[in-house]
Amino acid sequence: MATNRKLGRTTDIRKSMLKNLTTDVIVHGKIETTLQRAKEVKSIVDSIISLAIKEKDNFEEVEVKIVKAKLDSKGNKVTELVKSKNGKEYLKVVKEETTEKRQKDMPSRLNARRKIMRKVNKIKNSDGKNIDVPAILFNELAPKYADKNVGGYTRIVKAGPRRGDSAEVAILQLI
């Protein structure tokens, strides 16, 4: 007996579809899809959120040295004129060294991050910048659901049959 629904798709297409739906639920908070797909995605999202809750505080703060180009008031790189060994002059970018505090994941949190990335897609926002889905899980959703018992982070609301093919439509949303 199969442990998951096949949803009338081949394996690679089904996995891709479930990754897309899972990512959309985490980023947007709710999706509208068929009832069978919603039931499959619900179990995936609940397991990912419970993993994020378990590992949400498993990091340490470290100071990191960063060497980067010095910028002027307009945001352009500052350059200086330098002479080379053979007497030619060229422009060299001025570097500045700073220290920043960053979060360093402990090994189990890093493993959890990798498990999450196997079940969600990498996405970009409207500006073209990458959205860090595990960061959304660890920093926003995990603290929100930390006091809740295991499971039950999502809700399926039936929305009736779809007009074109009478498929049962459901809304999957984070509680």
Side-chain angles (χ1 to χ4, degrees), residues 2-41:
T3 57
N4 61 352
R5 293 173 180 82
K6 296 193 177 177
L7 303 173
R9 303 279 189 272
T10 58
T11 305
D12 55 341
I13 295 172
R14 181 178 60 249
K15 285 183 178 180
S16 176
M17 177 183 59
L18 292 174
K19 281 175 79 168
N20 286 334
L21 291 172
T22 303
T23 306
D24 287 343
V25 169
I26 292 169
V27 173
H28 301 296
K30 72 176 187 174
I31 58 168
E32 185 175 317
T33 184
T34 62
L35 182 62
Q36 288 74 24
R37 290 179 187 175
K39 287 179 181 178
E40 280 298 306
V41 174

Side-chain angles (χ1 to χ4, degrees), residues 80-92:
E80 62 182 13
L81 194 62
V82 180
K83 257 191 178 174
S84 66
K85 292 179 184 175
N86 59 3
K88 295 188 177 182
E89 294 182 341
Y90 64 96
L91 291 175
K92 179 181 173 186

Side-chain angles (χ1 to χ4, degrees), residues 43-97:
S43 66
I44 296 169
V45 172
D46 282 349
S47 67
I48 287 175
I49 291 175
S50 61
L51 182 62
I53 289 170
K54 182 180 166 192
E55 298 293 335
K56 72 178 172 73
D57 294 325
N58 199 4
F59 63 89
E60 62 184 4
E61 293 279 335
V62 292
E63 294 218 359
V64 180
K65 285 185 184 178
I66 297 175
V67 178
K68 58 183 176 181
K70 189 175 184 179
L71 302 176
D72 62 5
S73 61
K74 295 180 182 177
N76 299 325
K77 294 178 182 175
V78 176
T79 57
E80 62 182 13
L81 194 62
V82 180
K83 257 191 178 174
S84 66
K85 292 179 184 175
N86 59 3
K88 295 188 177 182
E89 294 182 341
Y90 64 96
L91 291 175
K92 179 181 173 186
V93 176
V94 178
K95 303 279 184 178
E96 65 181 353
E97 189 173 302

